[in-house]
Amino acid sequence: EDGPLASQKLFAVASDRAGGWYVTTTDSLLHVSAAGRIRTVATCEDCRGIALSPDGSALFLADTGNHKIRRVEVATGAVSAFAGSSTQGGSDGVGGAAGVAHPAPF
């Protein structure tokens, strides 16, 4: 169509369980409400995938360009690093100690 998302390169979509959608673009995680309002939830470098937690309280965002997986709290919009340290890696660890290399769509 010709709406505000028409000019965006979209990578992934996840339902928010309330009639809205989360959408990843090249550099952002957006929320599209059931009423069609769009807001930026987080910025990133080459956002390639998202997954909703089983209870719907959090989103996990593949921030490919920053070599991180980010956690976004649905209720507050708070964003934190779940894994990765912005340096390409491939090692076991927890949080920033986990080496992540270009996380791909989930």
Side-chain angles (χ1 to χ4, degrees):
E1 294 281 325
D2 60 357
L5 294 177
S7 63
Q8 299 287 325
K9 186 171 186 179
L10 305 178
F11 289 104
V13 177
S15 170
D16 70 0
R17 299 183 179 179
W21 297 92
Y22 288 95
V23 180
T24 61
T25 68
T26 304
D27 60 2
S28 300
L29 170 64
L30 306 174
H31 181 259
V32 183
S33 72
R37 286 186 289 261
I38 300 170
R39 68 178 171 89
T40 301
V41 176
T43 58
C44 54
E45 186 178 327
D46 202 11
C47 302
R48 290 294 176 131
I50 51 176
L52 189 64
S53 65
D55 66 0
S57 67
L59 283 165
F60 294 91
L61 171 66
D63 189 351
T64 303
N66 286 313
H67 309 290
K68 287 186 177 186
I69 297 174
R70 298 186 185 273
R71 179 184 173 109
V72 180
E73 298 299 324
V74 171
T76 65
V79 180
S80 60
F82 181 74
S85 64
S86 296
T87 301
Q88 183 175 341
S91 58
D92 291 340
V94 176
V100 178
H102 305 289
F106 309 125

